[in-house]
Amino acid sequence: MHRVHPWALRIYRMVAGAVVLEAVIVWLAKGRIAHELRLPNTAGVFPSWWRRESGYLLSVDRGLLQAHRDYRGLAGTC
């Protein structure tokens, strides 16, 4: 168990950093993304991205709960 915590923290930080970086890229490129998707405006680009990204974050959280063998916490996320 003592080896899982540093690993889980490192994984979570990497994922959080990737999410922040991707958020900046999506925010800066939302005009181009909306144009490529033939959207009438940019209003839906960032919320759509966040909905998808939040699913990835939940998957990482569930995996980390399993790594910690915190099955009660995992049951609470279902």
Side-chain angles (χ1 to χ4, degrees):
M1 253 348 222
H2 67 283
R3 292 186 300 174
V4 172
H5 183 70
W7 171 80
L9 190 59
R10 189 173 71 243
I11 294 296
Y12 200 77
R13 284 181 180 160
M14 285 175 23
V15 170
V19 167
V20 169
L21 178 63
E22 190 176 354
V24 170
I25 292 169
V26 168
W27 186 261
L28 293 174
K30 66 183 178 178
R32 174 84 176 165
I33 294 168
H35 175 74
E36 291 296 323
L37 295 175
R38 292 175 171 71
L39 299 174
N41 57 42
T42 62
V45 172
F46 199 77
S48 299
W49 168 82
W50 178 248
R51 222 176 342 215
R52 180 182 51 91
E53 200 65 32
S54 63
Y56 294 151
L57 291 173
L58 286 174
S59 295
V60 169
D61 280 344
R62 289 175 58 92
L64 292 175
L65 286 170
Q66 286 179 329
H68 281 288
R69 297 180 180 223
D70 184 5
Y71 299 114
R72 286 193 175 179
L74 182 61
T77 63
C78 293

